Amino acid sequence: MDMNAPIGQNALDDPKSIVGKPLDRIDGRLKVTGAARYAYEFAQETTTTYGYVVEAAIGKGRIRSIDTRAAERSPGVVLILTHRNTPGQGTGSHHEAHPVLTDANVNYYGQPAAFVVAETFEQARAAAYLVRVDYERVAGKYALESNLKYAGSPPAQEGQPHPDSAVGDFTGAFASAPVQLDVTYTTPLQSHAMMEPHASMAVWEGDKLTLHTANQMLSQGQEAVARTLKMPVENVRLISPFIGGGFGGKLWVNADAILAAIAARQLNRPVKTALTRQQIFHVTTHRSDTVQRIRLGTDRDGRIVAIGHDVFSGNLPSEQSFETAAMQTRTLYVGANRLTRHRLVPLDIPIASSMRAPGEAVGMLALECAMDELAAKLNLDPIDLRIRNEPTEDPEKHIPYSSRHLIACLQEGAKRFGWDKRNPKPGQVADGRWLVGMGVAAASRGNPLRTSKANVRLDPDGILTAKMAMTDIGTGTYTIMTQIAAEMLGLPPDRIRMELGDTRFPEAAGSGGSFGAASAGSALFDACETLRAKLAGAAGMDPKAARFADGNIEAGGRSKRLTDLVGNAGMEADGEIGPGTTLKDFSQQSYGAHFAEVAVDMDTGEIRLRRMLGVFTAGRILNEKTARSQAIGGMVFGIGAALEEGLNLDPRFGHFVNHDLAEYHVPVHADVPVIDAVFLPELDTKSNPLKSKGIGELGISGAGAALANAIYNACGARVRDYPITLDKVLTVLPVQA
Ligand code: MOS
């Protein structure tokens, strides 16, 4: 079905429904016992060989010569791929294809220059260091801020928001607004830093390729591999039952998969490869840094009359995707005159791509701090300012919201957090040597829906098997899908066999963009609806009146065992969901409010987060426990964005200096105090049959801004350059004088 009309009452609305309950992860035991197999852990056979990537050591230029002779003589080496012996491949944006070793050109530091395959990983790595590459270096453009003059307007393309939006007369309205704020924020280059390194194992049988690979969107990945290797899609199989996090870094096919596939075909042996932690930073994607100018003009009461957001981000000259940081600025607050623009700077550094709420995560670091600055300027409470600017319809599209409870989240959060104890004047609250402050920020993230399919089969033994090429990247997909199927067929969860992570199963949306649960879950729901109708038909019952419970179907006082209805072969049904008109007729976002309390050392500027609360609304919550965990994870990302994370680019050579987890800092336990996340009840009948909304990226959106605003409240330092490290706070610490 396509989402063309609001959803009425359905089986999930039963107050006793298992959907929503805090069911433990059904794959928890597999994970803690090591039985869950990840990409690198598949089939270790004697014929398996191991590949190691040789990275280009310059930012831009070409390979003048490459000497592999010593490496070829090194023990165990069976193949060295370079641009000289690698077959031609299909091309496209990094969403569509990932050709490797195509020619002598080096487009970015870390681009694979060779791939050494040996009998063992250690032999491959040792030989890789013997490959001698002679480069011809040319000048490259590496740093965003020093190349803004090359910014251009990215082309409008399908699957990506339009770079520009304009309503009314922004320039005129801003110029004549009684209160004006014009501020520029910068956010750094960031790395996904997922736990599991990228890994792939390629096995060929004739002209059929099987890739065990860590990938978030298998159906899309299957197409990208087929396009790159110029082979029919049906001859490519991707398998990925467990993935150790992705955060966007595994949305698309990366070099590990293609290199392994090409080498395995040449050798006619399985090839396994994993990127080292250090290689991940350059060989795969990162999030672009941004420069964001926000302009807010209000009347004397703080009602926004003009809102503008200009965003600069960078990417390779061959890529057109940009950091969509102004997306929420288009919809979050009122204002008759609006202008948002995204500009792209061509840079010769690795591929910039989606990472942890692409757009919103960094866009709201700017917008939600600007709102705090505006509140201070107007002498208004920041929550009051947001209430004054709450729209009744989408201010750009002039369509209703599917559901929107931002104010409820702000007010409930304020009550739970003790917001009334906040002193609005910065630098007033001290606890020993610590200056203490509170901050708030709105959370908001788009709610997409993507085409997804599912198949279910009920066997005579009472087991329901569901199959989808969906992935579980650690978010709890296996568990929530089990809950949906269990509820729909009235079976206990242990009667459900959930099979994910294989492109042999029906094509699925995959895990990304906060669309996974809604899309795959709705496809599964649809398949279960069809199976219910079939079972009712077999029982001679009206499907509308039938109830499913305890392995039975009941209607009109009659009851039958499901297992008696399915026959010897079992009974199957297919399901499908597709986006429809409700995505155009309704403005769809999930919402929330972040609250943070921080302490700033009045002498050293050291910043400590003391407590944090997120209150969210995201339609039906499919599992209270996994949803809360995911929201908290997102909030922890927010801590990293506010205080720690950032790749340091060497502007001379175009490489990321801190390319490991010792120096690319993400929050650790000591950085994360008491955090809670709460979901307020909500059902969204316009979003999808589950009435849920995406939560994957809601937790991070706005989270870091709450910390930044708390830092301002604590000590009066308004740092507009993320991350907010102590050196930046020191320059403005009022107690310094
Ligand atoms: Mo997400 S950045 O779509 O994994």
Side-chain angles (χ1 to χ4, degrees), residues 258-339:
I258 302 298
L259 289 166
I262 292 173
R265 183 153 57 180
Q266 295 210 2
L267 286 167
N268 201 24
R269 292 173 66 178
V271 175
K272 206 183 242 204
T273 189
L275 299 178
T276 65
R277 176 61 65 185
Q278 293 202 335
Q279 288 175 336
I280 291 170
F281 287 79
H282 292 110
V283 175
T284 75
T285 58
H286 65 278
R287 190 205 303 270
S288 173
D289 41 356
T290 67
V291 176
Q292 303 180 49
R293 181 186 186 191
I294 299 227
R295 284 175 287 176
L296 299 169
T298 73
D299 64 19
R300 302 218 178 275
D301 295 327
R303 289 271 300 180
I304 296 171
V305 294
I307 182 165
H309 195 165
D310 287 293
V311 182
F312 293 87
S313 63
N315 213 338
L316 278 171
S318 54
E319 297 289 336
Q320 300 298 344
S321 66
F322 53 92
E323 191 67 33
T324 54
M327 293 311 292
Q328 293 313 310
T329 310
R330 294 178 180 176
T331 182
L332 196 51
Y333 301 116
V334 297
N337 304 286
R338 323 177 66 88
L339 179 66

